[in-house]
Amino acid sequence: MKRADPKGGAGAPSGVDKRVAAIRAGHRATIARAITEIENDLPQSGALSAAIAADIGRAHVVGITGAPGAGKSTLINALLQQYAARGRRVAVAAIDPSSPITGGAVLGDRIRMGSSGGADGVFIRSLASRGHAGGLARATRRIVDLLDAAGFDVVIVETVGAGQSDVDIASLADTSVVVCPPGLGDDVQAIKAGILEIADVLVVNKGDQPLADRTERELDDMLHLRARRPGWRVRVLRTTATTGEGVSALVDTLDAHAAEAGVGRRRRQAATPPPGDAVSDTLRRFCESDPYQRLNAIEFVESAPGSATMRMRVGKSHLNFNGKCHGGAIFCLADSAFGIAANQYGVIAAGIDTHMTFQVAVSEGDVLTARSTEVSRTAKLAIYRVDVTRGDGTVVSSFTGTVYLTTRRHAPHLTP
Ligand SMILES: Nc1nc2c(ncn2[C@@H]2O[C@H](COP(=O)(O)OP(=O)(O)OP(=O)(O)O)[C@@H](O)[C@H]2O)c(=O)[nH]1
Ligand SMILES: [Mg+2]
């Protein structure tokens, strides 16, 4: 094991270089402190995140999501034991879990494994979802990066189901596991839109309960009805987290998915703004504190001069009286991408005209992405096009907007 000082505590290094070295060496106290800094968005956390950028992309990031009480935390405890038995080092970030992950059984096993296994192989951290919309998602991503840089083989993120959390697990995780309790029945139709879009593996947990058989069949049927996509074939597995039954097969499947789909997905999606991009960083902060964007749980994904991407998961609060996504919320999403793309040049770009069309209705659980690109630009005016797409690639709305380019800079608190 490559620990410098497994106990951490007093005397831990303080400069950025020293801290990065300590994180790479898996120094637990340094990792824990860095996570707290990221959670609180403290200024020093930015330098640390930038310094570890070269170290990330090696860990297999597994997202575990599903309805409250489906057994996610219990399943993670069982997974920790399986991974430990295979000699893997695992970190867990659990977002606002009502039931703690203890790792207790793993630590018990460790004593038998002796000092070479060490309790260092498991790191568990709960993250409070007290952040504002988008803020938690960004913090979670940076925390996953940190755990990745610390050399954990697997990083597991637990979050509640689609539409109930502002963490978009599908863009963060290499492998997304959706845990379903038995007896979904008619709910299957309702949850289908949200979870099947993101699941790489569906787990029917509480396999010891009578309805597990039927739920497994229903999910299997549903997958067969769905159009076959190239690449990974989504699988339905059954587990009993309380006894560990089926968990070994689940780890085999997670490994198979990592081998086929690769790891480091969150980097490929370039969701973390590159370090040093001050304007993007300032605008991201602006987005996160913008009341309309917070109201609509709009998440900043990325931006560069003349382009921007924003995302929104449609939840109950977005629905109109017909039970579909309110056009105003879609406008807010598109307009946000438009505004961020146009304001990348350091001066205020004032919107003077917009047009929007709606092609298809949008349902609860859909994830909408708005991508804004610059169509033309003169000294005074710039025109942008924004496409709003659903998870399956369907364009749901098109937007064009014109800005008048002022010579005024952004307000002092926004000026890079
Ligand atoms: N019978 C049975 N009970 C289970 C199984 N897995 C979990 N449970 C129980 O289900 C309850 C909820 O389990 P958790 O692991 O806390 O579920 P969760 O999905 O993490 O819940 P939240 O974090 O609150 O969303 C607990 O009482 C578990 O003991 C299982 O396989 N069989
Ligand atoms: Mg839980």
Side-chain angles (χ1 to χ4, degrees):
M1 284 270 121
K2 48 182 176 169
R3 299 273 179 274
D5 170 14
K7 291 186 211 71
S14 56
V16 171
D17 288 349
K18 280 187 182 165
R19 295 183 72 199
V20 170
I23 286 164
R24 285 197 192 117
H27 188 281
R28 302 175 78 83
T30 309
I31 297 168
R33 200 175 317 130
I35 291 175
T36 304
E37 288 168 10
I38 294 171
E39 271 189 299
N40 295 309
D41 207 7
L42 299 183
Q44 62 266 41
S45 73
L48 196 61
S49 285
I52 60 163
D55 291 313
I56 63 174
R58 289 190 283 257
H60 178 202
V61 182
V62 177
I64 308 257
T65 188
K72 300 179 292 296
S73 298
T74 314
L75 186 61
I76 290 170
N77 276 315
L79 281 170
L80 287 174
Q81 293 186 58
Q82 261 304 319
Y83 277 123
R86 298 179 189 207
R88 312 264 188 90
R89 300 178 61 231
V90 186
V92 182
I95 298 163
D96 209 15
S98 54
S99 47
I101 297 159
T102 61
V106 176
L107 300 184
D109 285 350
R110 292 296 159 146
I111 293 161
R112 288 198 297 278
M113 282 167 66
S115 60
S116 66
D120 296 343
V122 177
F123 184 94
I124 297 164
R125 176 69 176 241
S126 295
L127 310 175
S129 63
R130 58 170 181 255
H132 42 69
L136 178 65
R138 207 175 74 88
T140 304
R141 187 177 294 273
R142 293 173 65 201
I143 289 163
V144 168
D145 285 348
L146 187 88
L147 295 168
D148 184 348
F152 288 99
D153 302 306
V154 181
V155 178
I156 299 177
V157 181
E158 176 187 348
T159 175
V160 286
Q164 297 173 57
S165 162
D166 63 357
V167 174
D168 181 4
I169 202 75
S171 73
L172 181 67
D174 301 309
T175 306
S176 295
V177 177
V178 177
V179 182
C180 309
L184 292 167
D186 292 342
D187 291 348
V188 167
Q189 290 310 317
I191 61 172
K192 183 168 114 177
I195 66 167
L196 286 192
E197 288 313 312
I198 68 158
D200 299 306
V201 181
L202 283 161
V203 171
V204 178
N205 186 45
K206 308 197 184 181
D208 53 329
Q209 292 189 355
L211 289 172
D213 254 343
R214 207 183 84 192
T215 305
E216 196 179 350
R217 261 200 323 274
E218 283 173 349
L219 290 171
D220 254 331
D221 289 349
M222 211 155 67
L223 287 176
H224 282 113
L225 288 175
R226 204 166 67 142
R228 178 88 169 82
R229 293 179 189 176
W232 175 255
R233 181 177 55 83
V234 179
R235 282 157 220 196
V236 182
L237 297 181
R238 184 160 155 183
T239 59
T240 304
T242 40
T243 64
E245 210 177 321
V247 177
S248 176
L250 175 57
V251 172
D252 290 342
T253 305
L254 298 177
D255 286 351
H257 183 263
E260 182 162 331
V263 299
R265 180 190 285 188
R266 66 194 190 288
R267 291 202 311 158
R268 291 200 293 279
Q269 298 203 348
T272 308
D277 189 347
V279 178
S280 283
D281 207 50
T282 303
L283 289 170
R284 172 187 59 70
R285 280 169 186 276
F286 168 68
C287 284
E288 286 174 7
S289 61
D290 181 88
Y292 269 75
Q293 292 181 28
R294 290 175 62 176
L295 182 70
N296 286 299
I298 292 172
E299 190 194 334
F300 175 96
V301 180
E302 54 84 33
S303 69
S307 71
T309 306
M310 310 286 281
R311 198 181 291 141
M312 177 177 88
R313 182 182 290 281
V314 178
K316 284 211 174 1
S317 64
H318 295 107
L319 303 183
N320 63 17
F321 51 76
N322 289 320
K324 296 294 180 186
C325 185
H326 197 291
I330 301 174
F331 178 87
C332 187
L333 174 69
D335 186 61
S336 301
F338 166 51
I340 294 301
N343 278 278
Q344 286 286 326
Y345 298 95
V347 293
I348 295 176
I352 53 173
D353 180 50
T354 65
H355 289 264
M356 192 164 193
T357 62
F358 294 98
Q359 275 94 306
V360 293
V362 176
S363 305
E364 187 180 353
D366 284 341
V367 176
L368 299 182
T369 303
R371 276 195 192 82
S372 176
T373 46
E374 194 171 274
V375 176
S376 70
R377 181 182 179 82
T378 65
K380 286 272 165 237
L381 296 175
I383 299 174
Y384 290 82
R385 179 192 165 93
V386 186
D387 285 324
V388 181
T389 52
R390 206 164 55 185
D392 62 1
T394 309
V395 176
V396 302
S397 191
S398 300
F399 173 111
T400 52
T402 306
V403 287
Y404 174 74
L405 298 162
T406 71
T407 52
R408 281 175 293 130
R409 299 194 67 79
H410 295 119
H413 66 289
L414 294 176
T415 304

PDB file of all heavy atoms in Angstrom, residues 41-63:
ATOM      1  N   ASP A  41     -16.888  25.219  -1.467  1.00  0.00           N
ATOM      2  CA  ASP A  41     -16.414  26.056  -2.571  1.00  0.00           C
ATOM      3  C   ASP A  41     -15.404  27.102  -2.090  1.00  0.00           C
ATOM      4  O   ASP A  41     -15.471  28.272  -2.477  1.00  0.00           O
ATOM      5  CB  ASP A  41     -17.608  26.725  -3.276  1.00  0.00           C
ATOM      6  CG  ASP A  41     -17.296  27.037  -4.738  1.00  0.00           C
ATOM      7  OD1 ASP A  41     -16.222  26.611  -5.213  1.00  0.00           O
ATOM      8  OD2 ASP A  41     -18.114  27.701  -5.393  1.00  0.00           O
ATOM      9  N   LEU A  42     -14.474  26.682  -1.248  1.00  0.00           N
ATOM     10  CA  LEU A  42     -13.457  27.606  -0.737  1.00  0.00           C
ATOM     11  C   LEU A  42     -12.441  27.907  -1.845  1.00  0.00           C
ATOM     12  O   LEU A  42     -12.174  27.050  -2.688  1.00  0.00           O
ATOM     13  CB  LEU A  42     -12.742  27.004   0.475  1.00  0.00           C
ATOM     14  CG  LEU A  42     -13.639  26.691   1.686  1.00  0.00           C
ATOM     15  CD1 LEU A  42     -12.807  26.167   2.848  1.00  0.00           C
ATOM     16  CD2 LEU A  42     -14.427  27.927   2.108  1.00  0.00           C
ATOM     17  N   PRO A  43     -11.877  29.116  -1.834  1.00  0.00           N
ATOM     18  CA  PRO A  43     -10.983  29.521  -2.938  1.00  0.00           C
ATOM     19  C   PRO A  43      -9.828  28.548  -3.161  1.00  0.00           C
ATOM     20  O   PRO A  43      -9.476  28.253  -4.303  1.00  0.00           O
ATOM     21  CB  PRO A  43     -10.466  30.882  -2.480  1.00  0.00           C
ATOM     22  CG  PRO A  43     -11.389  31.356  -1.422  1.00  0.00           C
ATOM     23  CD  PRO A  43     -12.068  30.170  -0.833  1.00  0.00           C
ATOM     24  N   GLN A  44      -9.229  28.012  -2.079  1.00  0.00           N
ATOM     25  CA  GLN A  44      -8.054  27.148  -2.263  1.00  0.00           C
ATOM     26  C   GLN A  44      -8.398  25.840  -2.967  1.00  0.00           C
ATOM     27  O   GLN A  44      -7.523  25.154  -3.497  1.00  0.00           O
ATOM     28  CB  GLN A  44      -7.347  26.861  -0.922  1.00  0.00           C
ATOM     29  CG  GLN A  44      -8.183  26.134   0.102  1.00  0.00           C
ATOM     30  CD  GLN A  44      -8.872  27.099   1.061  1.00  0.00           C
ATOM     31  OE1 GLN A  44      -9.370  28.134   0.634  1.00  0.00           O
ATOM     32  NE2 GLN A  44      -8.912  26.771   2.336  1.00  0.00           N
ATOM     33  N   SER A  45      -9.696  25.488  -2.987  1.00  0.00           N
ATOM     34  CA  SER A  45     -10.076  24.222  -3.616  1.00  0.00           C
ATOM     35  C   SER A  45      -9.896  24.284  -5.136  1.00  0.00           C
ATOM     36  O   SER A  45      -9.661  23.276  -5.788  1.00  0.00           O
ATOM     37  CB  SER A  45     -11.520  23.853  -3.271  1.00  0.00           C
ATOM     38  OG  SER A  45     -12.423  24.679  -3.968  1.00  0.00           O
ATOM     39  N   GLY A  46      -9.991  25.498  -5.694  1.00  0.00           N
ATOM     40  CA  GLY A  46      -9.834  25.649  -7.143  1.00  0.00           C
ATOM     41  C   GLY A  46      -8.425  25.288  -7.585  1.00  0.00           C
ATOM     42  O   GLY A  46      -8.231  24.552  -8.555  1.00  0.00           O
ATOM     43  N   ALA A  47      -7.428  25.769  -6.840  1.00  0.00           N
ATOM     44  CA  ALA A  47      -6.027  25.497  -7.186  1.00  0.00           C
ATOM     45  C   ALA A  47      -5.748  24.001  -7.084  1.00  0.00           C
ATOM     46  O   ALA A  47      -5.054  23.425  -7.924  1.00  0.00           O
ATOM     47  CB  ALA A  47      -5.109  26.270  -6.244  1.00  0.00           C
ATOM     48  N   LEU A  48      -6.331  23.379  -6.079  1.00  0.00           N
ATOM     49  CA  LEU A  48      -6.107  21.942  -5.881  1.00  0.00           C
ATOM     50  C   LEU A  48      -6.733  21.148  -7.030  1.00  0.00           C
ATOM     51  O   LEU A  48      -6.115  20.237  -7.590  1.00  0.00           O
ATOM     52  CB  LEU A  48      -6.718  21.529  -4.540  1.00  0.00           C
ATOM     53  CG  LEU A  48      -6.263  20.194  -3.987  1.00  0.00           C
ATOM     54  CD1 LEU A  48      -4.766  20.211  -3.741  1.00  0.00           C
ATOM     55  CD2 LEU A  48      -7.003  19.887  -2.699  1.00  0.00           C
ATOM     56  N   SER A  49      -7.976  21.511  -7.386  1.00  0.00           N
ATOM     57  CA  SER A  49      -8.646  20.804  -8.484  1.00  0.00           C
ATOM     58  C   SER A  49      -7.850  20.931  -9.780  1.00  0.00           C
ATOM     59  O   SER A  49      -7.716  19.972 -10.537  1.00  0.00           O
ATOM     60  CB  SER A  49     -10.060  21.350  -8.694  1.00  0.00           C
ATOM     61  OG  SER A  49     -10.909  20.890  -7.669  1.00  0.00           O
ATOM     62  N   ALA A  50      -7.311  22.139 -10.005  1.00  0.00           N
ATOM     63  CA  ALA A  50      -6.522  22.337 -11.225  1.00  0.00           C
ATOM     64  C   ALA A  50      -5.253  21.499 -11.182  1.00  0.00           C
ATOM     65  O   ALA A  50      -4.838  20.906 -12.185  1.00  0.00           O
ATOM     66  CB  ALA A  50      -6.173  23.815 -11.378  1.00  0.00           C
ATOM     67  N   ALA A  51      -4.642  21.403  -9.978  1.00  0.00           N
ATOM     68  CA  ALA A  51      -3.361  20.701  -9.858  1.00  0.00           C
ATOM     69  C   ALA A  51      -3.494  19.190 -10.038  1.00  0.00           C
ATOM     70  O   ALA A  51      -2.550  18.522 -10.438  1.00  0.00           O
ATOM     71  CB  ALA A  51      -2.725  21.014  -8.499  1.00  0.00           C
ATOM     72  N   ILE A  52      -4.666  18.642  -9.765  1.00  0.00           N
ATOM     73  CA  ILE A  52      -4.822  17.178  -9.900  1.00  0.00           C
ATOM     74  C   ILE A  52      -5.372  16.791 -11.270  1.00  0.00           C
ATOM     75  O   ILE A  52      -5.578  15.613 -11.555  1.00  0.00           O
ATOM     76  CB  ILE A  52      -5.744  16.572  -8.815  1.00  0.00           C
ATOM     77  CG1 ILE A  52      -7.143  17.188  -8.881  1.00  0.00           C
ATOM     78  CG2 ILE A  52      -5.119  16.691  -7.427  1.00  0.00           C
ATOM     79  CD1 ILE A  52      -8.189  16.395  -8.151  1.00  0.00           C
ATOM     80  N   ALA A  53      -5.611  17.800 -12.121  1.00  0.00           N
ATOM     81  CA  ALA A  53      -6.291  17.527 -13.399  1.00  0.00           C
ATOM     82  C   ALA A  53      -5.606  16.433 -14.215  1.00  0.00           C
ATOM     83  O   ALA A  53      -6.264  15.640 -14.890  1.00  0.00           O
ATOM     84  CB  ALA A  53      -6.396  18.812 -14.212  1.00  0.00           C
ATOM     85  N   ALA A  54      -4.270  16.374 -14.113  1.00  0.00           N
ATOM     86  CA  ALA A  54      -3.540  15.388 -14.924  1.00  0.00           C
ATOM     87  C   ALA A  54      -3.676  13.968 -14.371  1.00  0.00           C
ATOM     88  O   ALA A  54      -3.359  12.997 -15.057  1.00  0.00           O
ATOM     89  CB  ALA A  54      -2.073  15.774 -14.984  1.00  0.00           C
ATOM     90  N   ASP A  55      -4.148  13.863 -13.123  1.00  0.00           N
ATOM     91  CA  ASP A  55      -4.177  12.550 -12.464  1.00  0.00           C
ATOM     92  C   ASP A  55      -5.505  11.830 -12.608  1.00  0.00           C
ATOM     93  O   ASP A  55      -5.682  10.747 -12.060  1.00  0.00           O
ATOM     94  CB  ASP A  55      -3.922  12.725 -10.955  1.00  0.00           C
ATOM     95  CG  ASP A  55      -2.509  13.150 -10.678  1.00  0.00           C
ATOM     96  OD1 ASP A  55      -1.609  12.540 -11.256  1.00  0.00           O
ATOM     97  OD2 ASP A  55      -2.321  14.103  -9.898  1.00  0.00           O
ATOM     98  N   ILE A  56      -6.466  12.472 -13.290  1.00  0.00           N
ATOM     99  CA  ILE A  56      -7.804  11.873 -13.263  1.00  0.00           C
ATOM    100  C   ILE A  56      -8.112  11.094 -14.539  1.00  0.00           C
ATOM    101  O   ILE A  56      -7.443  11.251 -15.555  1.00  0.00           O
ATOM    102  CB  ILE A  56      -8.900  12.931 -12.992  1.00  0.00           C
ATOM    103  CG1 ILE A  56      -8.937  13.958 -14.122  1.00  0.00           C
ATOM    104  CG2 ILE A  56      -8.668  13.593 -11.656  1.00  0.00           C
ATOM    105  CD1 ILE A  56     -10.092  14.924 -13.986  1.00  0.00           C
ATOM    106  N   GLY A  57      -9.122  10.232 -14.433  1.00  0.00           N
ATOM    107  CA  GLY A  57      -9.565   9.456 -15.595  1.00  0.00           C
ATOM    108  C   GLY A  57      -9.206   7.985 -15.496  1.00  0.00           C
ATOM    109  O   GLY A  57      -9.455   7.234 -16.424  1.00  0.00           O
ATOM    110  N   ARG A  58      -8.623   7.567 -14.375  1.00  0.00           N
ATOM    111  CA  ARG A  58      -8.244   6.158 -14.253  1.00  0.00           C
ATOM    112  C   ARG A  58      -9.277   5.333 -13.504  1.00  0.00           C
ATOM    113  O   ARG A  58      -9.424   4.147 -13.738  1.00  0.00           O
ATOM    114  CB  ARG A  58      -6.894   6.044 -13.544  1.00  0.00           C
ATOM    115  CG  ARG A  58      -5.740   6.525 -14.421  1.00  0.00           C
ATOM    116  CD  ARG A  58      -4.421   6.181 -13.789  1.00  0.00           C
ATOM    117  NE  ARG A  58      -4.115   7.098 -12.696  1.00  0.00           N
ATOM    118  CZ  ARG A  58      -3.241   8.100 -12.814  1.00  0.00           C
ATOM    119  NH1 ARG A  58      -2.573   8.283 -13.927  1.00  0.00           N
ATOM    120  NH2 ARG A  58      -3.016   8.911 -11.804  1.00  0.00           N
ATOM    121  N   ALA A  59      -9.977   5.962 -12.544  1.00  0.00           N
ATOM    122  CA  ALA A  59     -10.924   5.204 -11.716  1.00  0.00           C
ATOM    123  C   ALA A  59     -12.173   4.825 -12.512  1.00  0.00           C
ATOM    124  O   ALA A  59     -12.563   5.536 -13.443  1.00  0.00           O
ATOM    125  CB  ALA A  59     -11.325   6.037 -10.504  1.00  0.00           C
ATOM    126  N   HIS A  60     -12.772   3.721 -12.124  1.00  0.00           N
ATOM    127  CA  HIS A  60     -14.066   3.337 -12.687  1.00  0.00           C
ATOM    128  C   HIS A  60     -15.137   3.986 -11.810  1.00  0.00           C
ATOM    129  O   HIS A  60     -15.265   3.648 -10.627  1.00  0.00           O
ATOM    130  CB  HIS A  60     -14.189   1.802 -12.666  1.00  0.00           C
ATOM    131  CG  HIS A  60     -15.501   1.300 -13.185  1.00  0.00           C
ATOM    132  ND1 HIS A  60     -16.010   0.059 -12.861  1.00  0.00           N
ATOM    133  CD2 HIS A  60     -16.413   1.860 -14.009  1.00  0.00           C
ATOM    134  CE1 HIS A  60     -17.169  -0.112 -13.467  1.00  0.00           C
ATOM    135  NE2 HIS A  60     -17.442   0.968 -14.162  1.00  0.00           N
ATOM    136  N   VAL A  61     -15.877   4.940 -12.364  1.00  0.00           N
ATOM    137  CA  VAL A  61     -16.889   5.645 -11.580  1.00  0.00           C
ATOM    138  C   VAL A  61     -18.246   4.964 -11.780  1.00  0.00           C
ATOM    139  O   VAL A  61     -18.739   4.869 -12.900  1.00  0.00           O
ATOM    140  CB  VAL A  61     -16.978   7.140 -11.987  1.00  0.00           C
ATOM    141  CG1 VAL A  61     -18.013   7.863 -11.129  1.00  0.00           C
ATOM    142  CG2 VAL A  61     -15.612   7.802 -11.856  1.00  0.00           C
ATOM    143  N   VAL A  62     -18.803   4.477 -10.678  1.00  0.00           N
ATOM    144  CA  VAL A  62     -20.067   3.748 -10.727  1.00  0.00           C
ATOM    145  C   VAL A  62     -21.137   4.583 -10.030  1.00  0.00           C
ATOM    146  O   VAL A  62     -20.991   4.924  -8.856  1.00  0.00           O
ATOM    147  CB  VAL A  62     -19.932   2.373 -10.025  1.00  0.00           C
ATOM    148  CG1 VAL A  62     -21.269   1.635 -10.020  1.00  0.00           C
ATOM    149  CG2 VAL A  62     -18.860   1.525 -10.704  1.00  0.00           C
ATOM    150  N   GLY A  63     -22.171   4.953 -10.740  1.00  0.00           N
ATOM    151  CA  GLY A  63     -23.287   5.704 -10.146  1.00  0.00           C
ATOM    152  C   GLY A  63     -24.367   4.724  -9.734  1.00  0.00           C
ATOM    153  O   GLY A  63     -24.753   3.860 -10.511  1.00  0.00           O
TER     154      GLY A  63
END
